[in-house]
Amino acid sequence: MLVLGIESSCDETGLALYDTERGLLSHAVHTQVAMHEEYGGVVPELASRDHIRRLIPLLRHVLVEACVEKSAIDAIAYTAGPGLAGALLVGASFAESLAQALAVPALPVHHLEGHLLSPLLSVDAPTFPFVALLVSGGHTQLMRVERVGSYELLGESLDDAAGEAFDKTAKLLGLGYPGGPALAVLAQQGTPGRFSLPRPMLRSADFDFSFSGLKTAVLTAARSRMLSATEKADLAAEFQEAVTEVLVAKALAAVKHCGVETLIVAGGVGANRRLRERLDSAARRQGIRVHYPALALCTDNGAMIAYCGAQRLLAGEKPARRDGAFAVRPRWPLQAL
Ligand code: KG4
Ligand code: ZN
């Protein structure tokens, strides 16, 4: 079965072709980073308009790369939420119309379920059950995953998501947009411990997180005096250390709590090198296996959506007949699945 995946929930247009027998045949992403950069954040209307421009060329691209005709597509999976309403509507209307034209089913997919299952696209795929640490720009959640479609929320951020904290802190340090990767680069040049930042909720006996106070602590440190370039890097390093320490401790505690042996990490912050180093070494000591998606599949992409749709169809899900009517869900808790 050949599934076309379409992602357009925020500022990346991603398309991919996943074959249930042959695996991922092709995927392509267009990122709008350069377009939103001058505004310091995503401008929803510009995002929607850009998705419109990119979808058809990207579809052509993935078809050519996979050496298939569009008539070979058996189903279309698309991100129906959560995300920006307009951006989601562009992807959904494209997916639903193409599905009608090709007379194939269209399957609305939850963006976070896509992230959650993305490590299963790797050659060395994890086996169920596992705990998932979802760390994206909009979400920080720990979930117990029994199988495809069975997700139990263990804990989540009570305020800013980890990626959001990276982005906002980067902005405070004048690093532009998107801040997460830029902050990570700066942190590599600094030394943690020269500034002292809190480890929020590290010792709370639950799996919840809170990152907004950390950003305020960075602001206070940055405002106390003019920071030199070295001090800025030290502050970035300490921030990264604080976030990763809490994420690692809580994720491994959740794995223990659930009595499983595997942790998967998904979402944009999963690309953070320091997080991976710390998790790998702590997990090794505790006999826990950690799986990550390939770096290119950490941030938003169509491959995870195609894969998620394919797994749902393989599990027997029958796409509803909607006769041209469809809806997107900008707010959509994963547990509602
Ligand atoms: O999963 P994603 O692509 O989009 C959402 O669904 O939110 O995640 C994007 C988030 C952004 O906040 C970005 O700053 C963060 O992931 N991010 C990183 C790194 N790469 C991306 N944060 C820290 N270190 C990185 N290397
Ligand atoms: Zn995402």
Side-chain angles (χ1 to χ4, degrees), residues 79-93:
T79 304
L84 300 171
L88 289 167
L89 274 170
V90 173
S93 32

Side-chain angles (χ1 to χ4, degrees), residues 12 111 115 135-138 163-164 166-167 178-181 184 240 267-269 271-273 298-300:
E12 260 109 25
H111 180 78
H115 274 304
V135 271
S136 69
E164 191 180 359
F166 263 92
D167 293 338
Q240 178 171 262
V269 184
N272 186 276
R273 236 197 260 168
C298 273
T299 45
D300 293 348

Side-chain angles (χ1 to χ4, degrees), residues 36-43 171 176-177:
H36 298 297
E37 205 169 11
E38 64 175 297
Y39 305 98
V42 178
V43 184
K171 208 168 186 178
Y177 162 88

Side-chain angles (χ1 to χ4, degrees), residues 118-307:
S118 59
L120 294 163
L121 276 163
S122 311
V123 183
D124 174 29
T127 49
F128 296 107
F130 52 73
V131 165
L133 172 66
L134 257 175
V135 271
S136 69
H139 296 83
T140 300
Q141 297 185 325
L142 276 163
M143 320 266 321
R144 182 191 160 93
V145 181
E146 202 57 41
R147 58 190 145 73
V148 172
S150 168
Y151 312 111
E152 180 198 345
L153 181 68
L154 301 168
E156 63 185 332
S157 178
L158 305 176
D159 40 56
D160 291 352
E164 191 180 359
F166 263 92
D167 293 338
K168 288 179 174 171
T169 303
K171 208 168 186 178
L172 289 177
L173 296 176
L175 299 178
Y177 162 88
L183 186 89
V185 169
L186 181 64
Q188 275 206 306
Q189 299 154 25
T191 310
R194 288 194 179 148
F195 284 88
S196 172
L197 293 178
R199 287 358 185 206
M201 297 185 74
L202 182 62
R203 311 244 169 265
S204 67
D206 53 28
F207 302 114
D208 289 333
F209 304 89
S210 166
F211 293 115
S212 71
L214 208 43
K215 166 197 70 198
T216 314
V218 170
L219 183 64
T220 309
R223 279 206 179 142
S224 60
R225 59 198 152 84
M226 271 290 284
L227 298 182
S228 68
T230 314
E231 285 172 326
K232 237 188 196 181
D234 291 342
L235 189 53
E238 175 65 6
F239 169 82
Q240 178 171 262
E241 216 59 16
V243 174
T244 53
E245 187 175 334
V246 179
L247 290 175
V248 170
K250 297 241 169 182
L252 296 184
V255 172
K256 255 196 191 156
H257 169 82
C258 292
V260 298
E261 289 163 2
T262 308
L263 173 72
I264 69 116
V265 182
V269 184
N272 186 276
R273 236 197 260 168
R274 185 64 186 139
L275 175 63
R276 289 184 176 216
E277 273 170 20
R278 292 191 71 148
L279 252 186
D280 288 343
S281 72
R284 210 175 303 119
R285 286 197 297 275
Q286 300 181 30
I288 295 167
R289 286 168 57 89
V290 189
H291 291 259
Y292 307 91
L295 266 183
L297 301 185
C298 273
T299 45
D300 293 348
N301 63 84
M304 65 184 194
I305 303 303
Y307 180 78

